[in-house]
Amino acid sequence: MIQWVLAATLVCGASVLNSCKDAHAQEDNPAPQVVSTELIRTSQSWDGVELPDYFEGRPELVAVKYVFPAGQKLGWHHHPVMNYGVLVQGELTIIGLDGKTHVVHEGEAVVEMVGTVHHGENRGTKDCILYMFYLSQKDLPLAVQHPDIPLE
């Protein structure tokens, strides 16, 4: 009987000891936690101009992934709706018709101009990947092209 109690104590003790080791291992290596990082909070586009008021009526939210190959230029255009995005790869240069320039680096957020003509260029050596989010309404274009303005 004493042997059985001693054996049971050793087994249970080993189990408790392993449980303690597991608990300490969890304390040493906690489970990864969700991390929230605000990238931007603003009421202005990148050129410092105040954003317009929201439209009246039902919104239409649109998300678009753009891939700009190295050396590629996007033609002159303007946006009739508010939009913002995050550049997840590369470097993108945005040029306003007035000559203002803004460089967006990998990992940065950008708030686009609304109603102002501009274009984008990938002046780097690798593709740019840009996710843009538009606050639009049904049947509104996300961008209006200006092919009559030549790219330099």
Side-chain angles (χ1 to χ4, degrees):
M1 179 74 167
I2 293 178
Q3 291 174 337
W4 183 83
V5 172
L6 182 56
T9 303
L10 288 174
V11 170
C12 290
S15 176
V16 169
L17 182 59
N18 286 338
S19 294
C20 287
K21 284 181 185 176
D22 291 344
H24 288 296
Q26 287 176 0
E27 287 175 12
D28 294 339
N29 297 319
Q33 299 295 310
V34 173
V35 177
S36 173
T37 304
E38 187 171 288
L39 298 178
I40 194 166
R41 181 185 295 246
T42 184
S43 297
Q44 300 177 341
S45 57
W46 64 261
D47 62 340
V49 175
E50 290 293 318
L51 293 171
D53 290 335
Y54 283 111
F55 292 118
E56 297 268 338
R58 183 170 306 279
E60 182 175 66
L61 306 179
V62 183
V64 179
K65 176 185 177 182
Y66 293 96
V67 178
F68 290 78
Q72 183 66 38
K73 294 181 180 182
L74 188 62
W76 292 101
H77 63 280
H78 78 272
H79 302 283
V81 299
M82 288 184 279
N83 63 97
Y84 63 98
V86 177
L87 187 69
V88 297
Q89 179 179 297
E91 186 175 276
L92 181 65
T93 302
I94 306 170
I95 301 107
L97 194 57
D98 61 0
K100 285 185 182 176
T101 300
H102 180 68
V103 179
V104 185
H105 303 278
E106 192 169 298
E108 290 182 345
V110 62
V111 177
E112 273 280 40
M113 304 163 132
V114 179
T116 302
V117 178
H118 62 283
H119 81 276
E121 298 181 2
N122 179 351
R123 297 177 177 173
T125 57
K126 65 179 178 178
D127 291 353
C128 289
I129 299 175
L130 176 67
Y131 289 97
M132 292 299 292
F133 306 94
Y134 296 85
L135 308 159
S136 187
Q137 284 187 316
K138 187 174 173 41
D139 299 325
L140 276 179
L142 302 179
V144 175
Q145 302 301 316
H146 295 275
D148 52 315
I149 305 172
L151 285 174
E152 297 174 4

